[in-house]
Amino acid sequence: MSIKRLPFFLSAAKYLNFTEAASEQFISQTAMSLQIKKYEEELGFKLFNRSNTGVTLTKAGGYLYKRCQYITADYNQAVSHARQLSEEDKPQVRIGYSGAYEQIAVTPLVTSFYQRHPSSQVELIYGKRKKKVLRQLEDGYLDLAVVSDYDRNYSQWLKSCPLRYDCCLFLLSSDSEYARYGCLEPSLLAGKPLLRTVENDFTSYEWQIWNVMNFLGLGGNEVIYANDYYSMALLAKSDIGFSIVPECMKDVPMEGLSYVPIAGRKLKTSCSVIYMESSSNPIREEFLMTLKEQAAKTDPAL
Protein backbone atom coordinates (compact mmCIF):
# COMPACT_ATOMS: atom_id res chain seq x y z
CA MET A 1 0.00 0.00 0.00
CA SER A 2 1.39 3.41 -1.02
CA ILE A 3 1.68 6.27 1.48
CA LYS A 4 2.04 8.98 -1.17
CA ARG A 5 -1.38 10.38 -0.20
CA LEU A 6 -0.54 10.53 3.51
CA PRO A 7 0.56 14.23 3.42
CA PHE A 8 -2.84 15.20 1.99
CA PHE A 9 -4.61 13.33 4.79
CA LEU A 10 -2.42 14.93 7.48
CA SER A 11 -3.16 18.43 6.18
CA ALA A 12 -6.89 17.75 5.91
CA ALA A 13 -6.98 16.25 9.42
CA LYS A 14 -5.05 19.20 10.87
CA TYR A 15 -7.31 21.90 9.44
CA LEU A 16 -10.59 19.94 9.07
CA ASN A 17 -11.01 22.18 6.07
CA PHE A 18 -10.17 20.93 2.59
CA THR A 19 -9.62 24.46 1.23
CA GLU A 20 -6.95 25.32 3.82
CA ALA A 21 -5.42 21.85 3.48
CA ALA A 22 -5.23 22.30 -0.30
CA SER A 23 -3.47 25.64 0.17
CA GLU A 24 -0.86 24.01 2.40
CA GLN A 25 -0.26 21.26 -0.18
CA PHE A 26 -0.26 23.76 -3.09
CA ILE A 27 -3.11 22.04 -4.95
CA SER A 28 -6.73 22.95 -5.67
CA GLN A 29 -9.59 22.14 -3.30
CA THR A 30 -11.04 19.77 -5.90
CA ALA A 31 -7.74 17.90 -6.17
CA MET A 32 -7.54 17.66 -2.38
CA SER A 33 -11.03 16.14 -2.15
CA LEU A 34 -10.08 13.62 -4.85
CA GLN A 35 -6.86 12.63 -3.07
CA ILE A 36 -8.74 12.03 0.20
CA LYS A 37 -11.42 9.99 -1.58
CA LYS A 38 -8.80 7.78 -3.27
CA TYR A 39 -6.91 7.36 0.01
CA GLU A 40 -10.08 6.18 1.74
CA GLU A 41 -10.66 3.71 -1.09
CA GLU A 42 -7.11 2.37 -0.73
CA LEU A 43 -7.47 1.97 3.03
CA GLY A 44 -10.93 0.46 2.88
CA PHE A 45 -12.50 2.72 5.52
CA LYS A 46 -13.71 6.30 5.92
CA LEU A 47 -11.40 8.91 7.38
CA PHE A 48 -13.83 11.84 7.48
CA ASN A 49 -17.48 12.47 8.18
CA ARG A 50 -18.77 14.97 5.63
CA SER A 51 -21.78 17.25 6.13
CA ASN A 52 -23.09 20.64 5.03
CA THR A 53 -21.43 22.23 8.06
CA GLY A 54 -17.96 20.82 7.36
CA VAL A 55 -15.88 17.71 7.98
CA THR A 56 -14.86 15.81 11.11
CA LEU A 57 -12.57 12.86 11.64
CA THR A 58 -14.10 9.43 12.07
CA LYS A 59 -12.93 7.35 15.01
CA ALA A 60 -10.60 5.45 12.68
CA GLY A 61 -9.42 8.68 11.05
CA GLY A 62 -8.66 10.27 14.41
CA TYR A 63 -6.61 7.27 15.51
CA LEU A 64 -4.66 7.19 12.24
CA TYR A 65 -3.98 10.93 12.40
CA LYS A 66 -2.62 10.76 15.95
CA ARG A 67 -0.35 7.78 15.22
CA CYS A 68 0.93 9.26 11.96
CA GLN A 69 1.85 12.52 13.67
CA TYR A 70 4.21 10.68 16.01
CA ILE A 71 5.67 8.64 13.16
CA THR A 72 6.09 11.68 10.90
CA ALA A 73 7.78 13.72 13.63
CA ASP A 74 10.28 10.93 14.34
CA TYR A 75 10.96 10.42 10.64
CA ASN A 76 11.51 14.14 9.97
CA GLN A 77 13.92 14.48 12.86
CA ALA A 78 15.86 11.41 11.69
CA VAL A 79 16.10 12.80 8.14
CA SER A 80 17.23 16.19 9.43
CA HIS A 81 19.99 14.64 11.52
CA ALA A 82 21.05 12.31 8.68
CA ARG A 83 21.22 15.30 6.31
CA GLN A 84 23.47 17.13 8.73
CA LEU A 85 25.79 14.11 9.02
CA SER A 86 25.98 13.63 5.25
CA GLU A 87 26.34 17.25 4.12
CA GLU A 88 28.56 18.92 6.66
CA ASP A 89 31.39 18.01 8.97
CA LYS A 90 30.77 21.36 10.63
CA PRO A 91 27.81 21.37 13.07
CA GLN A 92 25.02 23.55 11.72
CA VAL A 93 21.52 24.84 12.36
CA ARG A 94 19.05 25.82 9.64
CA ILE A 95 16.79 28.78 10.40
CA GLY A 96 13.91 29.80 8.15
CA TYR A 97 12.33 33.25 8.15
CA SER A 98 9.39 34.71 6.26
CA GLY A 99 10.17 38.41 5.82
CA ALA A 100 12.32 41.49 6.37
CA TYR A 101 11.13 42.05 9.96
CA GLU A 102 12.01 38.48 10.91
CA GLN A 103 15.45 38.81 9.31
CA ILE A 104 16.18 42.00 11.26
CA ALA A 105 14.97 40.37 14.48
CA VAL A 106 17.11 37.23 14.23
CA THR A 107 20.37 38.75 12.91
CA PRO A 108 21.67 40.01 16.31
CA LEU A 109 20.94 36.60 17.80
CA VAL A 110 22.94 34.87 15.06
CA THR A 111 25.85 37.24 15.73
CA SER A 112 25.73 36.47 19.45
CA PHE A 113 25.59 32.74 18.74
CA TYR A 114 28.65 32.91 16.46
CA GLN A 115 30.63 34.69 19.15
CA ARG A 116 29.98 31.80 21.53
CA HIS A 117 30.23 28.98 18.96
CA PRO A 118 32.65 30.08 16.21
CA SER A 119 33.04 26.52 14.91
CA SER A 120 29.31 26.15 14.22
CA GLN A 121 27.43 27.20 11.13
CA VAL A 122 24.08 28.98 10.85
CA GLU A 123 22.19 28.89 7.57
CA LEU A 124 19.42 31.48 7.16
CA ILE A 125 16.80 30.43 4.62
CA TYR A 126 14.21 32.85 3.24
CA GLY A 127 10.87 31.09 2.89
CA LYS A 128 8.80 34.14 1.80
CA ARG A 129 5.53 32.86 3.29
CA LYS A 130 4.92 32.12 6.96
CA LYS A 131 2.96 28.94 6.26
CA LYS A 132 5.75 27.59 4.04
CA VAL A 133 8.41 28.24 6.70
CA LEU A 134 6.39 26.47 9.40
CA ARG A 135 5.72 23.57 7.05
CA GLN A 136 9.46 23.19 6.39
CA LEU A 137 10.02 23.18 10.16
CA GLU A 138 7.44 20.42 10.65
CA ASP A 139 8.97 18.44 7.78
CA GLY A 140 12.41 18.53 9.41
CA TYR A 141 14.07 20.63 6.70
CA LEU A 142 14.49 23.50 9.19
CA ASP A 143 15.69 23.35 12.78
CA LEU A 144 14.08 26.67 13.72
CA ALA A 145 11.67 29.18 12.20
CA VAL A 146 11.40 32.91 12.84
CA VAL A 147 7.92 34.35 12.28
CA SER A 148 5.95 37.38 13.42
CA ASP A 149 2.69 37.30 15.40
CA TYR A 150 2.74 33.52 15.77
CA ASP A 151 -0.57 31.83 16.58
CA ARG A 152 0.15 29.26 19.31
CA ASN A 153 -2.92 27.29 18.27
CA TYR A 154 -1.32 26.50 14.91
CA SER A 155 0.16 23.16 16.02
CA GLN A 156 0.48 21.21 19.25
CA TRP A 157 3.86 19.95 18.05
CA LEU A 158 5.49 23.37 17.79
CA LYS A 159 6.80 25.52 20.64
CA SER A 160 7.62 29.22 20.59
CA CYS A 161 10.07 31.52 22.34
CA PRO A 162 9.70 35.33 22.09
CA LEU A 163 12.49 37.08 20.21
CA ARG A 164 11.43 40.73 20.33
CA TYR A 165 8.46 43.10 20.59
CA ASP A 166 8.04 46.33 18.63
CA CYS A 167 5.64 49.25 18.54
CA CYS A 168 4.05 49.90 15.16
CA LEU A 169 4.28 53.03 13.02
CA PHE A 170 2.64 54.30 9.87
CA LEU A 171 4.88 53.92 6.80
CA LEU A 172 4.31 56.78 4.35
CA SER A 173 5.91 58.38 1.34
CA SER A 174 8.16 61.31 2.25
CA ASP A 175 6.10 63.26 -0.29
CA SER A 176 2.91 62.65 1.67
CA GLU A 177 1.30 65.67 3.29
CA TYR A 178 1.40 63.75 6.59
CA ALA A 179 5.06 62.68 6.43
CA ARG A 180 6.28 65.35 8.84
CA TYR A 181 3.57 64.98 11.44
CA GLY A 182 4.81 64.30 14.96
CA CYS A 183 2.04 61.69 15.18
CA LEU A 184 -0.80 60.90 12.83
CA GLU A 185 -4.49 60.46 13.59
CA PRO A 186 -5.61 57.27 11.76
CA SER A 187 -8.82 58.91 10.49
CA LEU A 188 -6.71 61.10 8.18
CA LEU A 189 -5.82 57.96 6.21
CA ALA A 190 -9.44 56.88 5.68
CA GLY A 191 -9.90 55.87 2.05
CA LYS A 192 -6.15 55.49 1.36
CA PRO A 193 -5.13 51.91 0.41
CA LEU A 194 -3.39 49.77 3.03
CA LEU A 195 -0.24 48.11 1.67
CA ARG A 196 0.52 44.57 2.83
CA THR A 197 2.82 41.72 1.91
CA VAL A 198 1.79 38.14 1.13
CA GLU A 199 4.35 36.79 3.64
CA ASN A 200 1.69 36.28 6.31
CA ASP A 201 -0.72 33.87 4.65
CA PHE A 202 -2.83 32.63 7.55
CA THR A 203 -6.57 33.09 7.89
CA SER A 204 -6.05 33.91 11.59
CA TYR A 205 -3.58 36.65 10.63
CA GLU A 206 -6.06 38.09 8.13
CA TRP A 207 -8.60 38.38 10.95
CA GLN A 208 -5.96 40.04 13.12
CA ILE A 209 -5.25 42.66 10.44
CA TRP A 210 -8.99 43.20 9.96
CA ASN A 211 -9.41 43.75 13.71
CA VAL A 212 -6.48 46.19 13.81
CA MET A 213 -7.87 48.20 10.90
CA ASN A 214 -11.28 48.37 12.55
CA PHE A 215 -9.61 49.39 15.82
CA LEU A 216 -8.01 52.28 13.92
CA GLY A 217 -11.29 53.14 12.21
CA LEU A 218 -9.89 52.13 8.81
CA GLY A 219 -11.84 48.91 8.23
CA GLY A 220 -13.23 50.18 4.94
CA ASN A 221 -9.84 50.87 3.34
CA GLU A 222 -8.83 48.96 0.22
CA VAL A 223 -5.92 46.50 0.64
CA ILE A 224 -3.12 46.21 -1.93
CA TYR A 225 -0.73 43.24 -1.69
CA ALA A 226 2.98 43.21 -2.55
CA ASN A 227 5.28 40.19 -2.89
CA ASP A 228 7.66 41.27 -0.12
CA TYR A 229 8.54 44.16 2.18
CA TYR A 230 10.77 45.94 -0.32
CA SER A 231 8.10 45.85 -3.04
CA MET A 232 5.61 47.19 -0.52
CA ALA A 233 8.01 49.97 0.48
CA LEU A 234 8.38 51.03 -3.16
CA LEU A 235 4.59 51.31 -3.43
CA ALA A 236 4.55 53.43 -0.27
CA LYS A 237 7.37 55.59 -1.65
CA SER A 238 5.21 56.29 -4.71
CA ASP A 239 2.40 57.39 -2.33
CA ILE A 240 0.07 54.69 -3.67
CA GLY A 241 -0.87 53.77 -0.12
CA PHE A 242 0.41 53.40 3.43
CA SER A 243 1.43 50.51 5.65
CA ILE A 244 1.74 49.66 9.35
CA VAL A 245 5.22 48.38 10.20
CA PRO A 246 7.37 47.56 13.26
CA GLU A 247 9.41 50.49 14.55
CA CYS A 248 12.70 48.65 13.90
CA MET A 249 12.05 48.85 10.14
CA LYS A 250 13.29 52.45 10.37
CA ASP A 251 16.77 50.91 10.46
CA VAL A 252 16.34 49.57 6.91
CA PRO A 253 18.03 52.21 4.68
CA MET A 254 15.43 53.24 2.09
CA GLU A 255 15.11 56.79 0.81
CA GLY A 256 11.79 58.50 0.23
CA LEU A 257 9.98 56.96 3.22
CA SER A 258 8.75 58.39 6.50
CA TYR A 259 7.78 56.58 9.71
CA VAL A 260 5.10 58.37 11.71
CA PRO A 261 3.79 57.36 15.18
CA ILE A 262 0.10 56.46 15.43
CA ALA A 263 -1.78 59.10 17.44
CA GLY A 264 -3.77 57.89 20.43
CA ARG A 265 -3.13 54.20 19.74
CA LYS A 266 -0.46 51.77 20.87
CA LEU A 267 -0.09 48.87 18.48
CA LYS A 268 2.57 46.24 19.04
CA THR A 269 3.84 43.34 17.01
CA SER A 270 6.07 40.46 18.01
CA CYS A 271 8.62 38.11 16.52
CA SER A 272 9.22 34.58 17.85
CA VAL A 273 11.48 31.61 17.27
CA ILE A 274 9.43 28.46 16.60
CA TYR A 275 10.76 24.94 17.09
CA MET A 276 9.77 21.30 17.41
CA GLU A 277 9.57 20.10 21.00
CA SER A 278 12.21 17.41 20.49
CA SER A 279 15.33 17.47 18.34
CA SER A 280 18.40 15.37 17.69
CA ASN A 281 20.45 18.44 16.74
CA PRO A 282 22.57 19.64 19.70
CA ILE A 283 23.47 22.86 17.86
CA ARG A 284 19.80 23.79 17.78
CA GLU A 285 19.66 23.38 21.56
CA GLU A 286 22.68 25.66 21.96
CA PHE A 287 21.02 28.27 19.75
CA LEU A 288 17.82 28.15 21.81
CA MET A 289 19.87 28.51 24.99
CA THR A 290 21.51 31.63 23.53
CA LEU A 291 18.05 33.00 22.70
CA LYS A 292 16.66 32.36 26.17
CA GLU A 293 19.69 33.90 27.87
CA GLN A 294 19.39 36.99 25.67
CA ALA A 295 15.66 37.23 26.41
CA ALA A 296 16.31 36.97 30.15
CA LYS A 297 18.72 39.92 29.98
CA THR A 298 16.11 41.99 28.14
CA ASP A 299 13.19 40.89 30.32
CA PRO A 300 14.01 38.89 33.48
CA ALA A 301 10.42 37.64 33.58
CA LEU A 302 10.94 35.58 30.40
Side-chain angles (χ1 to χ4, degrees):
M1 180 179 294
S2 172
I3 61 170
K4 66 180 182 180
R5 293 189 174 90
L6 180 59
F8 302 112
F9 164 66
L10 293 177
S11 292
K14 178 169 69 175
Y15 291 108
L16 293 178
N17 182 301
F18 283 6
T19 300
E20 290 193 40
S23 175
E24 182 172 80
Q25 292 294 329
F26 304 103
I27 61 174
S28 68
Q29 189 271 337
T30 302
M32 172 60 71
S33 298
L34 182 60
Q35 290 293 335
I36 296 300
K37 181 180 178 181
K38 289 185 176 181
Y39 193 39
E40 289 177 323
E41 291 173 353
E42 289 179 5
L43 295 174
F45 55 84
K46 287 181 62 177
L47 297 169
F48 295 94
N49 296 310
R50 298 164 176 82
S51 68
N52 292 333
T53 58
V55 297
T56 59
L57 285 165
T58 63
K59 186 175 181 179
Y63 173 79
L64 182 63
Y65 177 52
K66 184 175 182 179
R67 293 295 302 164
C68 286
Q69 281 184 305
Y70 285 113
I71 294 170
T72 302
D74 287 343
Y75 171 76
N76 289 336
Q77 288 297 328
V79 170
S80 178
H81 188 52
R83 182 185 293 114
Q84 180 178 324
L85 293 175
S86 66
E87 292 181 357
E88 297 286 346
D89 293 330
K90 198 175 190 180
Q92 66 172 316
V93 59
R94 286 186 172 87
I95 304 174
Y97 65 97
S98 59
Y101 174 43
E102 291 82 353
Q103 183 182 24
I104 289 174
V106 77
T107 298
L109 182 61
V110 172
T111 301
S112 177
F113 179 76
Y114 269 134
Q115 291 173 348
R116 297 176 57 175
H117 304 278
S119 62
S120 297
Q121 177 177 317
V122 176
E123 183 179 1
L124 291 176
I125 301 172
Y126 175 49
K128 188 174 182 178
R129 292 175 182 262
K130 184 188 294 187
K131 189 179 292 186
K132 178 181 177 182
V133 170
L134 293 175
R135 176 67 184 277
Q136 289 178 328
L137 177 63
E138 291 178 305
D139 288 346
Y141 177 71
L142 298 174
D143 297 296
L144 301 165
V146 182
V147 299
S148 59
D149 299 309
Y150 176 66
D151 181 359
R152 293 185 179 181
N153 295 319
Y154 170 73
S155 171
Q156 62 177 320
W157 306 103
L158 298 181
K159 303 297 179 182
S160 64
C161 184
L163 182 55
R164 66 178 294 154
Y165 297 90
D166 288 273
C167 290
C168 293
L169 307 173
F170 284 130
L171 174 66
L172 301 165
S173 168
S174 296
D175 295 329
S176 169
E177 59 182 309
Y178 307 120
R180 290 171 178 78
Y181 277 42
C183 58
L184 181 60
E185 177 60 44
S187 61
L188 294 175
L189 295 175
K192 195 174 185 67
L194 169 70
L195 305 175
R196 287 201 50 224
T197 70
V198 296
E199 292 159 353
N200 290 298
D201 50 354
F202 279 100
T203 302
S204 59
Y205 187 79
E206 291 294 334
W207 276 104
Q208 181 180 347
I209 289 294
W210 185 82
N211 287 332
V212 167
M213 293 301 287
N214 276 283
F215 173 68
L216 296 176
L218 302 174
N221 287 44
E222 177 190 1
V223 178
I224 297 177
Y225 291 88
N227 284 331
D228 52 40
Y229 179 82
Y230 299 99
S231 299
M232 182 188 73
L234 288 174
L235 292 176
K237 182 178 179 180
S238 302
D239 204 20
I240 291 174
F242 73 97
S243 188
I244 301 172
V245 300
E247 187 173 11
C248 67
M249 299 310 294
K250 292 193 299 184
D251 298 332
V252 179
M254 294 189 72
E255 295 182 355
L257 294 173
S258 294
Y259 302 84
V260 183
I262 302 171
R265 311 290 198 282
K266 279 196 174 181
L267 293 179
K268 286 192 174 183
T269 187
S270 64
C271 201
S272 301
V273 173
I274 316 301
Y275 56 96
M276 296 288 287
E277 189 168 10
S278 60
S279 172
S280 57
N281 184 353
I283 306 303
R284 190 206 77 160
E285 300 307 308
E286 292 291 343
F287 194 92
L288 284 174
M289 186 177 298
T290 301
L291 167 61
K292 292 173 182 178
E293 289 177 359
Q294 178 175 296
K297 291 178 182 178
T298 305
D299 185 350
L302 294 176

